[in-house]
Protein backbone atom coordinates (compact mmCIF):
# COMPACT_ATOMS: atom_id res chain seq x y z
CA UNK A 1 0.00 0.00 0.00
CA UNK A 2 2.88 2.39 0.76
CA UNK A 3 4.22 1.80 -2.74
CA UNK A 4 0.80 2.58 -4.26
CA UNK A 5 0.62 5.87 -2.33
CA UNK A 6 4.17 6.72 -3.43
CA UNK A 7 3.25 5.91 -7.03
CA UNK A 8 0.24 8.21 -7.02
CA UNK A 9 2.34 10.96 -5.42
CA UNK A 10 4.94 10.52 -8.17
CA UNK A 11 2.25 10.78 -10.81
CA UNK A 12 1.04 14.03 -9.26
CA UNK A 13 4.58 15.43 -9.26
CA UNK A 14 5.11 14.44 -12.87
CA UNK A 15 1.88 16.27 -13.74
CA UNK A 16 3.13 19.43 -12.06
CA UNK A 17 6.45 19.13 -13.90
CA UNK A 18 4.80 18.41 -17.25
CA UNK A 19 4.65 22.03 -18.52
CA UNK A 20 8.40 22.56 -18.11
CA UNK A 21 9.13 19.17 -19.64
CA UNK A 22 6.80 19.83 -22.54
CA UNK A 23 8.40 23.22 -23.20
CA UNK A 24 11.94 21.83 -23.24
CA UNK A 25 10.86 18.84 -25.34
CA UNK A 26 9.04 21.11 -27.76
CA UNK A 27 12.18 23.20 -28.15
CA UNK A 28 14.19 20.12 -29.02
CA UNK A 29 11.71 19.16 -31.71
CA UNK A 30 11.56 22.76 -32.94
CA UNK A 31 15.32 22.71 -33.52
CA UNK A 32 15.14 19.36 -35.28
CA UNK A 33 12.04 19.82 -37.45
CA UNK A 34 11.58 23.59 -37.58
CA UNK A 35 8.04 23.41 -36.16
CA UNK A 36 6.58 24.75 -32.92
CA UNK A 37 4.94 21.66 -31.41
CA UNK A 38 5.08 23.03 -27.85
CA UNK A 39 2.69 25.87 -28.70
CA UNK A 40 0.20 23.84 -30.76
CA UNK A 41 -2.70 22.17 -28.88
CA UNK A 42 -2.61 18.39 -29.13
CA UNK A 43 -5.36 16.27 -30.63
CA UNK A 44 -5.75 13.04 -28.65
CA UNK A 45 -8.37 11.49 -30.94
CA UNK A 46 -7.01 8.42 -32.73
CA UNK A 47 -5.57 4.96 -32.30
CA UNK A 48 -2.16 4.18 -30.79
CA UNK A 49 0.18 1.30 -30.00
CA UNK A 50 3.08 1.19 -27.56
CA UNK A 51 5.51 -0.75 -25.39
CA UNK A 52 6.06 -0.46 -21.64
CA UNK A 53 8.50 -1.61 -18.96
CA UNK A 54 8.81 -1.14 -15.23
CA UNK A 55 8.51 -2.84 -11.86
CA UNK A 56 5.79 -5.29 -10.79
CA UNK A 57 5.10 -6.95 -7.48
CA UNK A 58 2.78 -9.71 -6.28
CA UNK A 59 1.55 -10.69 -2.85
CA UNK A 60 -0.79 -13.40 -1.64
CA UNK A 61 -1.96 -15.32 1.38
CA UNK A 62 -1.93 -19.09 1.06
CA UNK A 63 -4.26 -21.15 3.23
CA UNK A 64 -3.81 -24.88 3.82
CA UNK A 65 -6.50 -26.95 5.56
CA UNK A 66 -7.08 -30.66 6.16
CA UNK A 67 -10.56 -32.20 6.40
CA UNK A 68 -12.45 -32.81 8.64
CA UNK A 69 -10.79 -30.13 10.80
CA UNK A 70 -12.40 -26.75 10.43
CA UNK A 71 -9.31 -24.56 10.49
CA UNK A 72 -6.72 -23.28 8.02
CA UNK A 73 -3.06 -22.34 8.33
CA UNK A 74 -2.37 -19.01 6.59
CA UNK A 75 0.99 -17.83 5.26
CA UNK A 76 1.87 -14.67 3.32
CA UNK A 77 4.19 -14.54 0.33
CA UNK A 78 5.44 -11.86 -2.06
CA UNK A 79 7.74 -11.30 -5.01
CA UNK A 80 8.77 -8.41 -7.25
CA UNK A 81 10.91 -7.58 -10.26
CA UNK A 82 11.07 -6.19 -13.76
CA UNK A 83 8.10 -6.44 -16.11
CA UNK A 84 7.60 -5.74 -19.81
CA UNK A 85 4.56 -5.49 -22.01
CA UNK A 86 2.62 -3.64 -24.65
CA UNK A 87 -0.63 -1.77 -25.13
CA UNK A 88 -2.90 -0.50 -27.87
CA UNK A 89 -6.08 1.53 -27.85
CA UNK A 90 -8.21 4.36 -29.15
CA UNK A 91 -8.93 7.81 -27.69
CA UNK A 92 -11.72 10.25 -28.44
CA UNK A 93 -11.40 13.89 -27.38
CA UNK A 94 -14.21 16.39 -26.84
CA UNK A 95 -13.21 19.82 -25.55
CA UNK A 96 -10.52 19.10 -22.93
CA UNK A 97 -11.89 15.67 -22.00
CA UNK A 98 -10.66 12.36 -23.38
CA UNK A 99 -12.25 8.92 -23.15
CA UNK A 100 -10.92 5.68 -24.63
CA UNK A 101 -10.53 1.94 -24.58
CA UNK A 102 -7.27 0.02 -24.32
CA UNK A 103 -5.96 -3.54 -24.43
CA UNK A 104 -2.78 -4.58 -22.60
CA UNK A 105 -0.49 -7.59 -22.32
CA UNK A 106 2.24 -7.90 -19.69
CA UNK A 107 4.89 -10.43 -18.73
CA UNK A 108 5.22 -10.34 -14.93
CA UNK A 109 7.54 -13.27 -14.10
CA UNK A 110 6.47 -13.49 -10.43
CA UNK A 111 7.03 -16.52 -8.17
CA UNK A 112 5.15 -16.89 -4.88
CA UNK A 113 6.50 -19.40 -2.36
CA UNK A 114 4.72 -21.53 0.20
CA UNK A 115 3.79 -25.18 0.54
CA UNK A 116 2.79 -25.12 -3.12
CA UNK A 117 4.60 -22.29 -4.96
CA UNK A 118 2.79 -20.51 -7.77
CA UNK A 119 4.06 -18.82 -10.93
CA UNK A 120 2.39 -15.59 -12.07
CA UNK A 121 3.61 -14.87 -15.58
CA UNK A 122 1.15 -13.36 -18.07
CA UNK A 123 -1.53 -10.75 -17.59
CA UNK A 124 -3.99 -9.46 -20.18
CA UNK A 125 -6.40 -6.57 -19.68
CA UNK A 126 -9.24 -4.64 -21.30
CA UNK A 127 -9.54 -1.13 -19.90
CA UNK A 128 -11.63 2.01 -20.20
CA UNK A 129 -9.86 5.33 -19.65
CA UNK A 130 -11.02 8.85 -18.85
CA UNK A 131 -8.78 11.87 -18.76
CA UNK A 132 -8.36 15.62 -18.86
CA UNK A 133 -6.05 17.26 -21.42
CA UNK A 134 -4.22 20.43 -20.42
CA UNK A 135 -0.94 22.31 -21.01
CA UNK A 136 -1.44 21.63 -24.74
CA UNK A 137 0.29 18.24 -24.73
CA UNK A 138 -0.44 16.62 -21.34
CA UNK A 139 -3.20 14.13 -20.51
CA UNK A 140 -3.91 13.11 -16.91
CA UNK A 141 -6.02 9.92 -16.82
CA UNK A 142 -7.56 7.22 -14.68
CA UNK A 143 -8.33 3.70 -15.87
CA UNK A 144 -10.38 0.67 -14.86
CA UNK A 145 -9.72 -2.74 -16.37
CA UNK A 146 -10.90 -6.32 -16.40
CA UNK A 147 -7.63 -8.22 -15.94
CA UNK A 148 -6.86 -11.88 -16.64
CA UNK A 149 -3.80 -13.11 -14.74
CA UNK A 150 -2.14 -16.50 -15.30
CA UNK A 151 -1.65 -18.14 -11.86
CA UNK A 152 -0.28 -21.69 -11.93
CA UNK A 153 0.86 -23.98 -9.13
CA UNK A 154 4.43 -25.18 -9.67
CA UNK A 155 4.75 -28.38 -7.59
CA UNK A 156 1.84 -30.53 -8.72
CA UNK A 157 4.25 -33.42 -9.28
CA UNK A 158 4.24 -34.00 -5.53
CA UNK A 159 0.58 -35.00 -5.78
CA UNK A 160 1.25 -37.69 -8.41
CA UNK A 161 -0.71 -40.85 -7.76
CA UNK A 162 -3.38 -39.14 -5.67
CA UNK A 163 -6.89 -38.04 -6.57
CA UNK A 164 -6.98 -34.24 -6.78
CA UNK A 165 -8.40 -31.34 -8.71
CA UNK A 166 -6.69 -28.05 -9.54
CA UNK A 167 -8.30 -24.70 -10.21
CA UNK A 168 -5.57 -22.47 -11.55
CA UNK A 169 -4.72 -20.79 -14.86
CA UNK A 170 -6.23 -17.45 -15.84
CA UNK A 171 -8.09 -15.73 -13.00
CA UNK A 172 -10.13 -12.57 -13.56
CA UNK A 173 -10.00 -9.50 -11.31
CA UNK A 174 -10.56 -5.75 -11.21
CA UNK A 175 -7.59 -3.50 -11.98
CA UNK A 176 -7.48 0.24 -11.25
CA UNK A 177 -4.80 2.71 -12.24
CA UNK A 178 -3.83 6.30 -12.98
CA UNK A 179 -1.16 8.01 -15.01
CA UNK A 180 -0.05 10.80 -17.31
CA UNK A 181 0.52 10.87 -21.09
CA UNK A 182 2.81 13.52 -22.56
CA UNK A 183 3.02 14.15 -26.30
CA UNK A 184 6.62 14.57 -27.43
CA UNK A 185 5.38 15.56 -30.89
CA UNK A 186 2.07 15.05 -32.77
CA UNK A 187 2.60 11.26 -32.87
CA UNK A 188 4.91 10.06 -30.08
CA UNK A 189 3.47 9.79 -26.56
CA UNK A 190 5.43 9.21 -23.35
CA UNK A 191 3.49 7.54 -20.51
CA UNK A 192 4.01 6.98 -16.78
CA UNK A 193 1.36 5.03 -14.86
CA UNK A 194 0.69 2.85 -11.84
CA UNK A 195 -1.84 0.01 -11.50
CA UNK A 196 -3.22 -2.21 -8.76
CA UNK A 197 -4.89 -5.56 -9.51
CA UNK A 198 -7.21 -6.65 -6.72
CA UNK A 199 -7.57 -10.22 -5.48
CA UNK A 200 -9.72 -12.16 -7.90
CA UNK A 201 -10.84 -15.77 -8.17
CA UNK A 202 -8.84 -18.05 -5.89
CA UNK A 203 -6.44 -20.62 -7.30
CA UNK A 204 -7.04 -23.89 -5.47
CA UNK A 205 -5.82 -27.47 -5.07
CA UNK A 206 -8.04 -30.13 -3.50
CA UNK A 207 -6.35 -33.44 -2.66
CA UNK A 208 -9.14 -35.97 -2.08
CA UNK A 209 -6.89 -38.75 -0.81
CA UNK A 210 -5.61 -36.70 2.16
CA UNK A 211 -8.45 -34.21 2.54
CA UNK A 212 -5.99 -31.34 2.06
CA UNK A 213 -6.89 -28.14 0.25
CA UNK A 214 -4.69 -25.18 -0.70
CA UNK A 215 -6.04 -21.76 -1.67
CA UNK A 216 -4.10 -18.81 -3.08
CA UNK A 217 -5.52 -15.31 -3.57
CA UNK A 218 -2.88 -13.08 -5.19
CA UNK A 219 -2.97 -9.32 -5.78
CA UNK A 220 -0.54 -7.38 -7.97
CA UNK A 221 0.76 -3.86 -8.48
CA UNK A 222 3.03 -2.24 -11.06
CA UNK A 223 4.68 1.04 -11.93
CA UNK A 224 5.60 1.39 -15.60
CA UNK A 225 6.79 3.80 -18.28
CA UNK A 226 5.74 3.47 -21.90
CA UNK A 227 6.25 4.97 -25.34
CA UNK A 228 3.45 4.87 -27.92
CA UNK A 229 2.84 6.00 -31.48
CA UNK A 230 -0.49 7.62 -32.34
CA UNK A 231 -1.77 7.09 -35.87
Amino acid sequence: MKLIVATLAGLALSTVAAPAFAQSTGSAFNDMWGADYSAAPSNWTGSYIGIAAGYAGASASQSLSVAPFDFAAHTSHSDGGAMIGGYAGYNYQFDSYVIGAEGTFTYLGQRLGGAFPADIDWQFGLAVRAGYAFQDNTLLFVRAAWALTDVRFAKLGELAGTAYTVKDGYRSALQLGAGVDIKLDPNWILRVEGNYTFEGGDAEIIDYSSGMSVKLDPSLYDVRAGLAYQF
Side-chain angles (χ1 to χ4, degrees):
M1 183 59 68
K2 291 182 179 179
L3 181 57
I4 301 302
V5 173
T7 300
L8 295 178
L11 292 174
L13 288 174
S14 54
T15 302
V16 173
F21 177 83
Q23 183 176 3
S24 61
T25 305
S27 298
F29 277 91
N30 294 344
D31 295 340
M32 183 179 298
W33 303 110
D36 189 4
Y37 291 129
S38 61
S42 295
N43 181 9
W44 293 94
T45 298
S47 56
Y48 60 90
I49 187 170
I51 57 174
Y55 179 89
S59 61
S61 63
Q62 187 178 101
S63 61
L64 189 152
S65 61
V66 180
F69 304 103
D70 188 19
F71 72 90
H74 296 274
T75 56
S76 297
H77 309 278
S78 62
D79 191 20
M83 51 75 62
I84 190 169
Y87 54 99
Y90 182 85
N91 288 325
Y92 178 77
Q93 180 175 357
F94 53 99
D95 295 329
S96 295
Y97 301 97
V98 178
I99 58 174
E102 183 175 277
T104 62
F105 69 92
T106 307
Y107 181 76
L108 299 165
Q110 305 293 305
R111 179 69 176 267
L112 297 177
F116 285 89
D119 294 325
I120 304 179
D121 288 331
W122 291 98
Q123 184 180 74
F124 299 88
L126 291 175
V128 292
R129 302 199 314 154
Y132 182 79
F134 64 103
Q135 297 296 339
D136 294 334
N137 65 345
T138 304
L139 174 67
L140 185 67
F141 66 86
V142 293
R143 65 190 301 275
W146 173 60
L148 284 174
T149 307
D150 190 16
V151 182
R152 297 185 184 274
F153 289 104
K155 294 175 62 177
L156 295 180
E158 295 186 5
L159 294 175
T162 66
Y164 67 93
T165 61
V166 178
K167 299 177 182 178
D168 63 359
Y170 285 96
R171 325 304 292 173
S172 63
L174 171 66
Q175 183 184 76
L176 297 179
V180 58
D181 283 347
I182 300 173
K183 280 204 171 184
L184 304 180
D185 74 359
N187 300 106
W188 291 101
I189 304 172
L190 176 68
R191 171 180 295 185
V192 179
E193 73 174 17
N195 299 291
Y196 185 85
T197 305
F198 293 83
E199 296 175 357
D202 293 342
E204 184 177 12
I205 301 173
I206 302 175
D207 182 358
Y208 296 105
S209 61
S210 66
M212 178 192 72
S213 66
V214 178
K215 290 185 178 180
L216 188 71
D217 53 349
S219 59
L220 301 104
Y221 59 87
D222 68 76
V223 180
R224 64 182 75 186
L227 183 65
Y229 185 85
Q230 178 177 310
F231 298 95

